[in-house]
Amino acid sequence: AGAETLKRAVQLDVASRFQESLVCYQEGIDLLLQAMKATTDEAKKHRYQQKISEFTFLSDSKYHKQIRIEENATGFGYEKLFHEYLTENVSEVWVEDPYIRQVHQASRYLLYNFLRFCEMLVKGPCKVKTIHLLTSYDEGSGRSQQMSALEEIKQSLRNYGVTLNINFSSSIHDREIRFNNGWMIKIGRGLDYFKKPKGLFSIGYCDFDLRPCRETTVDVILSKHTRKC
């Protein structure tokens, strides 16, 4: 399976379909690593290692794409933005966002946005088992509401076999999302790039693809390593 995936990666590379080829390179290398760990045959291990070194060299560059979301643009729901990077081998996700807190703020519903993001991960096609959230504490009376909401999300995810690890930092300022297949997505506004819905029964309240966005920039980067919170 690893060899076939790598063969496909080369074909995509030759066709200048670089984004797809990088994904295939990485998945093929991961499969060869698994095979190398599983075998006790030293000759096979050596062959696997040679192939891994060869294709690691080919896939060693970083991929970077930038997406500009215009003011009031629609069609940028979480599924649309993240789906192509959530391959089947994604099992762990890191979310860094200092503002996963206020539920009822003038223009933000950040805890609800994080819940929507988690729902997307649960639906697949990836098989996420662990989500790491690094955020900051809400200030004043909002902290108890923040903790209660995050605990409810944590318990609900557990029903789907997903563990949510929550950590807090008073100095966090970056907003980024990382998957353990090497993809990193940095959104200027974090998960909060949607405008407040006009009402509880207005189009776009439930379906984020129909919700107008606020202007922001999305940077998509593929790297071989992920940094854990």
Side-chain angles (χ1 to χ4, degrees), residues 95-99 134-136 168-175:
V95 179
E96 292 187 18
D97 192 319
Y99 300 113
L134 180 63
T135 189
S136 60
F168 297 91
S169 169
S170 59
S171 60
I172 179 178
H173 56 84
D174 289 340
R175 296 176 176 92

Side-chain angles (χ1 to χ4, degrees), residues 26-224:
Q26 191 163 48
E27 291 184 354
I29 289 168
D30 287 342
L31 288 168
L32 287 181
L33 281 169
Q34 292 173 26
M36 189 175 72
K37 290 176 182 178
T39 186
T40 57
D41 187 320
E42 291 300 322
K44 283 185 178 181
K45 279 190 176 184
H46 181 68
R47 288 199 299 274
Y48 288 144
Q49 185 59 61
Q50 284 183 318
K51 285 293 181 184
I52 290 167
S53 298
E54 174 187 346
F55 285 102
T56 298
F57 176 78
L58 288 173
S59 64
D60 206 24
S61 61
K62 284 188 176 181
Y63 167 88
H64 179 213
K65 178 174 76 172
Q66 189 171 83
I67 303 166
R68 185 76 177 178
I69 299 178
E70 302 293 340
E71 186 79 6
N72 291 318
T74 57
F76 289 96
Y78 293 148
E79 285 85 356
K80 176 75 172 180
L81 197 61
F82 295 104
H83 182 78
E84 64 180 298
Y85 313 110
L86 287 170
T87 53
E88 290 186 2
N89 62 332
V90 173
S91 60
E92 200 164 6
V93 177
W94 293 265
V95 179
E96 292 187 18
D97 192 319
Y99 300 113
I100 306 296
R101 44 193 200 196
Q102 297 98 328
V103 178
H104 300 294
Q105 193 184 19
S107 62
R108 295 183 177 90
Y109 294 81
L110 295 171
L111 282 162
Y112 288 132
N113 287 357
F114 179 66
L115 175 60
R116 294 280 185 92
F117 178 77
C118 291
E119 288 175 337
M120 175 195 67
L121 295 177
V122 167
K123 286 193 297 184
C126 57
K127 298 175 176 61
V128 171
K129 296 298 180 185
T130 308
I131 302 170
H132 303 274
L133 171 65
L134 180 63
T135 189
S136 60
Y137 281 115
D138 205 340
E139 299 176 357
S141 60
R143 182 175 296 190
S144 61
Q145 187 180 44
Q146 176 195 27
M147 298 303 294
S148 176
L150 287 174
E151 183 60 30
E152 188 172 343
I153 294 173
K154 182 175 183 176
Q155 295 299 326
S156 183
L157 283 169
R158 190 172 294 167
N159 294 331
Y160 290 87
V162 179
T163 299
L164 173 61
N165 296 323
I166 307 168
N167 290 287
F168 297 91
S169 169
S170 59
S171 60
I172 179 178
H173 56 84
D174 289 340
R175 296 176 176 92
E176 62 185 45
I177 296 168
R178 292 174 177 265
F179 306 134
N180 67 326
N181 62 352
W183 287 105
M184 177 177 71
I185 293 89
K186 298 173 73 73
I187 308 173
R189 296 182 181 272
L191 292 173
D192 180 37
Y193 58 89
F194 298 103
K195 289 193 169 183
K196 180 183 176 181
K198 293 182 178 180
L200 293 176
F201 299 99
S202 61
I203 295 297
Y205 185 87
C206 297
D207 190 339
F208 274 20
D209 277 336
L210 299 174
R211 179 87 64 89
C213 296
R214 296 188 292 162
E215 184 177 348
T216 193
T217 299
V218 182
D219 287 286
V220 181
I221 301 165
L222 178 62
S223 178
K224 291 190 298 179

Side-chain angles (χ1 to χ4, degrees), residues 4-41:
E4 287 301 314
T5 304
L6 289 169
K7 186 185 296 183
R8 175 63 175 159
V10 173
Q11 292 170 346
L12 291 167
D13 210 343
V14 171
S16 297
R17 293 165 63 181
F18 301 119
Q19 179 179 340
E20 296 168 86
S21 71
L22 284 168
V23 173
C24 284
Y25 276 131
Q26 191 163 48
E27 291 184 354
I29 289 168
D30 287 342
L31 288 168
L32 287 181
L33 281 169
Q34 292 173 26
M36 189 175 72
K37 290 176 182 178
T39 186
T40 57
D41 187 320

